[in-house]
Structure formats: structure tokens, C-alpha cells
């Protein structure tokens, strides 16, 4: 199965393939996904593919870029018959999708969260992306791009502000894609068998960086409006590429709506400094708002926790709780309709002669 490594095969996926007795030839990876159109790459070829069986009717099972699938070759066209279990996934919640969690990509090892050093830089948004990565079981890495637009003092001050807010073990890489500076630090993380995803607002330079990593201009980039400072959403689809150093990379379009659906565990991992101090709160279920003897509120007063960070923590927590409530209500509503349908069918049957 050595050659499947060139499309990102690692031990976790290898185990799934072996335990199911699949031949390496019948396994492939989703390289591109546009609405209902898939492109799958296998050991021997790359072709368009379509879903069949249960996969067609299951929202949660719809394959996304990065997924590993079992395929049948049908005259040079693939039929996807099975989806292999995912070891990680990137998801967001968007109002434009009825607030449902929307999968962005699967089986990702690390995500480069790109912010540009000019007016786009925003610590709250950065924390939001980091939380999404942790929630999906993916290692976040922060990329500060466009450092050519700021002085070295400004760069140090931004780097310090990031360090003061994010977990100590998160790598921060400062780059200037246009001057080809610092991109080699990203490249060293793109080893064969790893899959990385680039996330960040439109216009921060994700595609410019990805093109450098590929060694070709495969991704379109766009000029940014001088008046609004915003890009024009040049990247429109999600696609896997093989980088020069052998690792797989996914470029994504900048997303405007980046709602989070965090579990308590995801929230704790993203805000380690708050959750560690919270262990000293008087109440084990303290929400760090107005409870007595709240160690987190004390830490804010002492300057050990940034008040903006605590505000952002509350915001992401409330947003996640709202989402979980909506999901529970939707399930309840679904069950109610199910019961009504069954009753109606039973009634119809009983009236038949
Ligand atoms: N000054 C400067 N400009 C950069 C740098 N990197 C990218 N740009 C410019 O920023 C603009 C947007 O870059 P893209 O790579 O298209 O941005 P993107 O993040 O892929 O945007 P979307 O695809 O819309 O999400 C282009 O005009 C790039 O030339 C950089 O390091 N410094
Ligand atoms: Mg782009």
C-alpha cells in the first residue's frame, strides 16, 4: 500500500482498509468536491465519481474532500459504495444552512489558520478557528501572513499578543508569501502521509501560500480592494493538492459565517488557561459570570486572564449551547412527525376494505 501514501495514506486509514479486507486497488480518496460532483483518486487513476446506496440518502455520511472511500470502477467512472471512518473533521455552522453543522473536510492532521498582519488581524476570530480545529481533532498552527506590510516592532507585538491568548504548544509561523519569506517553515510540516488544510478569511493569502507550496500557480489568487481591504472570494471549491514536499494540502474559500458547535471538551482544550484556573472555582459547574469565589473572575482582576478572552469564551460557549438546543429541538420535532406519520398510515390501513 506504499503508493497510497502519495495521496495521504497513514496508519489509521491503513488499519481500516486492512480490517475490512479491501484491496488497495478498490480504495480511493476524495480529491475534489463541487456540490454533487466528486473527483476520486486511487492507486491507479483519477476520475469523476458518484454516490450509490445508503450514502445517497444520508446527510451525515455524505463524503467531503479528504474522505477515504471504497469505489467500483465502471468504465473509467467511479461508483462510491462505502465511506471509511474519519479520524478527524472540520465543521462549521452557518445560518445560511439552517444552522446545521456543515462539514468542510475530513481526515486532516493539521490546519494552518492564516491571518494577515494588516487590518484583517483579529484575536477573537483566531480563537474561533482554533476552537473549530480542536473540536474536529486537528492540530492548529497559526500563520501570520503579509509581514512585509508591517514593521518588525509591529510584528513582535502581534506575535506577543497571539502568544498571550493561545495555548503554549501552538506553533506560530510569520510569513510574507509575496516575498517568499517564512514559507519554508510551513513546508517542513508537510511530510508524506500528512494532510493539511488552510483556513482563514478571504484575501489573507491562503492561495498565494498554497501555490508556493505546490510550486505551481494552480490556485487563483485575487487583488484586494484598497477601499474595503477585502478579497473577492477567488477560491470557490475545495480541493486536495500534492505539495512539493509530498504532504497533501487543501485550500479553502474564506468563510464569512463561521459558527461553532463546540462540546465542553472542545471548549476546554481551546481555552486551557481558563479551564486550568477554573479548577479552583468554588462551584464545579461555575460559569465564571457572577458566582461567588470564581477563580476565573479573580484571575481577570489580577490580570492573569485577558478580559477579552473571557468574553470570547462566553460568546463561543453560548453559541454552542444554542446550537445544541436547536439540534435537540429538531430531533424532538422529527420524532413527533414520525409518530404522526405512523398514526396516519395506521389509520389509512384500518379504513381500507
Ligand atoms: N503584501 C502582501 N500581499 C499578499 C501576501 N500574500 C498574498 N497577498 C495578496 O493578497 C491578495 C489575496 O491573496 P489570495 O491568496 O487570493 O487570498 P485567499 O486567502 O486565497 O482569498 P480567498 O480565496 O478569497 O479566500 C492577493 O492580491 C495576493 O497577492 C503577502 O505576503 N504580502
Ligand atoms: Mg484563495
Amino acid at each position: 500500500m506504499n503508493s497510497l501514501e502519495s495521496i495521504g495514506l497513514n496508519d489509521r486509514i491503513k488499519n481500516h482498509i486492512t480490517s475490512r479486507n479491501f484491496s488497495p486497488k478498490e480504495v480511493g480518496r476524495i480529491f475534489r468536491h463541487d456540490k454533487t460532483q466528486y473527483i476520486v483518486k486511487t492507486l491507479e487513476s483519477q476520475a469523476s465519481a458518484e454516490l450509490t446506496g445508503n450514502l445517497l440518502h444520508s446527510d451525515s455520511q455524505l463524503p467531503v474532500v479528504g474522505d477515504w472511500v471504497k469505489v467500483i470502477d465502471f468504465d473509467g467512472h467511479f461508483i462510491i459504495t462505502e465511506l471509511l471512518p474519519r479520524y478527524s473533521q472540520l465543521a462549521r455552522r452557518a445560518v445560511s444552512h439552517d444552522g446545521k453543522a456543515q462539514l468542510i473536510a475530513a481526515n486532516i492532521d493539521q490546519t494552518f489558520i492564516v491571518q494577515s498582519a494588516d487590518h484583517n488581524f483579529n484575536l477573537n476570530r483566531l480563537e474561533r478557528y482554533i476552537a473549530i480545529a480542536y473540536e474536529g481533532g486537528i492540530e492548529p498552527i497559526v500563520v501570520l501572513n503579509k509581514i512585509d506590510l508591517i514593521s518588525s516592532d509591529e510584528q513582535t507585538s502581534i506575535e506577543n499578543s497571539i502568544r498571550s491568548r493561545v495555548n503554549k504548544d501552538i506553533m506560530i509561523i510569520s510569513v510574507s508569501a509575496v516575498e517568499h519569506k517564512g514559507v519554508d517553515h510551513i513546508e517542513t510540516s508537510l511530510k508524506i502521509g500528512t494532510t493539511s488544510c488552510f483556513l482563514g478569511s478571504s484575501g489573507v493569502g491562503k492561495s498565494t501560500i498554497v501555490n508556493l507550496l505546490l510550486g505551481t500557480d494552480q490556485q487563483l489568487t485575487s487583488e484586494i480592494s484598497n477601499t474595503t481591504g477585502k478579497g473577492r472570494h477567488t477560491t470557490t471549491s475545495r480541493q486536495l493538492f500534492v505539495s512539493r514536499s509530498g504532504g497533501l494540502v487543501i485550500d479553502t474559500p474564506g468563510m464569512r459565517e463561521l459558527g461553532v458547535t463546540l462540546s465542553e471538551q472542545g471548549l476546554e482544550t481551546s481555552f486551557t488557561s481558563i479551564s486550568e484556573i477554573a479548577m479552583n472555582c468554588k462551584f464545579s459547574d461555575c460559569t465564571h459570570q457572577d458566582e461567588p469565589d470564581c477563580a476565573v473572575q479573580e484571575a481577570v482582576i489580577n490580570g492573569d486572564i485577558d478580559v477579552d478572552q473571557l468574553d470570547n469564551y462566553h460568546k463561543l460557549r453560548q453559541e454552542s449551547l444554542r446550537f445544541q438546543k436547536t439540534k435537540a429541538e429538531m430531533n424532538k420535532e422529527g420524532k413527533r412527525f414520525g409518530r404522526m406519520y405512523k398514526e396516519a398510515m395506521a389509520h389509512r390501513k384500518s379504513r381500507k376494505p
Side-chain angles (χ1 to χ4, degrees):
M1 271 188 259
N2 262 349
S3 310
L4 281 179
E5 278 166 5
S6 65
I7 54 171
L9 182 76
N10 57 26
D11 285 347
R12 283 182 278 198
I13 299 296
K14 213 184 266 181
N15 287 341
H16 290 314
I17 296 175
T18 320
S19 67
R20 284 166 177 75
N21 279 328
F22 290 165
S23 140
K25 283 190 182 171
E26 53 186 5
V27 176
R29 196 164 193 200
I30 309 277
F31 258 58
R32 192 180 169 130
H33 178 204
D34 284 310
K35 296 194 177 90
T36 56
Q37 179 73 41
Y38 291 100
I39 302 283
V40 169
K41 211 167 186 166
T42 62
L43 202 53
E44 291 171 338
S45 63
Q46 171 172 321
S48 58
E50 62 188 84
L51 302 174
T52 183
N54 290 341
L55 288 176
L56 261 177
H57 307 288
S58 151
D59 255 10
S60 61
Q61 289 293 300
L62 278 183
V64 290
V65 165
D67 262 324
W68 287 87
V69 288
K70 184 178 181 232
V71 291
I72 298 172
D73 191 336
F74 197 75
D75 270 350
H77 177 77
F78 290 132
I79 307 287
I80 302 173
T81 58
E82 220 171 301
L83 178 65
L84 268 68
R86 300 167 173 138
Y87 61 82
S88 70
Q89 58 184 45
L90 265 181
R92 64 150 180 173
R93 186 167 69 94
V95 178
S96 50
H97 285 79
D98 303 333
K100 279 188 192 158
Q102 201 199 2
L103 271 192
I104 301 165
N107 302 315
I108 312 293
D109 301 292
Q110 53 197 10
T111 177
F112 292 95
I113 302 166
V114 188
Q115 292 216 320
S116 63
D118 52 358
H119 33 69
N120 168 269
F121 180 72
N122 181 309
L123 283 170
N124 286 351
R125 196 181 316 124
L126 183 63
E127 262 172 359
R128 185 173 279 269
Y129 276 111
I130 289 175
I132 285 177
Y134 277 136
E135 182 68 24
I138 303 163
E139 185 198 354
I141 296 172
V142 176
V143 174
L144 181 68
N145 188 29
K146 307 198 187 182
I147 53 168
D148 53 290
L149 297 178
I150 54 169
S151 67
S152 60
D153 282 352
E154 283 170 317
Q155 182 186 329
T156 310
S157 139
I158 293 182
E159 286 168 353
N160 288 341
S161 68
I162 297 175
R163 281 209 180 86
S164 72
R165 284 278 285 267
V166 306
N167 292 350
K168 310 259 168 311
D169 51 352
I170 296 182
M171 208 191 323
I172 302 167
I173 305 177
S174 295
V175 306
S176 165
V178 289
E179 292 182 351
H180 297 203
K181 267 190 206 153
V183 182
D184 49 329
H185 293 299
I186 300 180
E187 199 152 23
T188 50
S189 308
L190 306 180
K191 298 190 181 70
I192 292 180
T194 63
T195 304
S196 311
C197 184
F198 282 78
L199 286 179
S201 308
S202 184
V204 294
K206 300 179 293 296
S207 300
T208 311
I209 297 172
V210 167
N211 279 340
L212 292 174
L213 298 168
L214 303 183
T216 54
D217 283 352
Q218 289 193 54
Q219 286 290 278
L220 284 179
T221 58
S222 90
E223 285 309 317
I224 293 192
S225 154
N226 280 334
T227 42
T228 64
K230 287 183 180 147
R232 275 179 287 143
H233 278 290
T234 314
T235 308
T236 51
S237 67
R238 291 173 197 136
Q239 198 172 347
L240 259 179
F241 292 98
V242 183
S243 74
R244 279 193 308 198
S245 47
L248 279 284
V249 290
I250 302 178
D251 188 7
T252 63
M255 286 169 280
R256 285 203 181 88
E257 294 180 71
L258 200 70
V260 295
T261 63
L262 309 175
S263 58
E264 280 297 323
Q265 177 69 42
L267 205 63
E268 271 188 28
T269 320
S270 312
F271 292 89
T272 325
S273 51
I274 293 181
S275 40
E276 275 171 9
I277 290 177
M279 289 197 281
N280 299 321
C281 288
K282 182 175 177 187
F283 300 110
S284 59
D285 59 350
C286 183
T287 63
H288 324 308
Q289 290 175 107
D290 42 24
E291 292 93 338
D293 293 334
C294 168
V296 173
Q297 287 291 355
E298 271 168 35
V300 170
I301 294 165
N302 299 339
D304 293 335
I305 289 181
D306 188 336
V307 69
D308 290 341
Q309 183 173 34
L310 184 59
D311 284 348
N312 203 28
Y313 166 88
H314 284 311
K315 199 166 170 218
L316 299 191
R317 189 160 186 272
Q318 284 308 324
E319 199 174 302
S320 303
L321 287 175
R322 258 200 316 276
F323 169 72
Q324 277 143 22
K325 212 169 132 200
T326 319
K327 207 165 130 190
E329 276 163 8
M330 271 164 34
N331 285 345
K332 218 166 120 189
E333 193 68 353
K335 278 188 188 153
R336 197 169 70 84
F337 274 118
R339 270 199 309 274
M340 273 166 59
Y341 178 75
K342 266 190 191 159
E343 280 166 19
M345 292 311 281
H347 181 66
R348 229 172 104 178
K349 243 183 184 172
S350 69
R351 285 175 47 157
K352 271 191 182 161

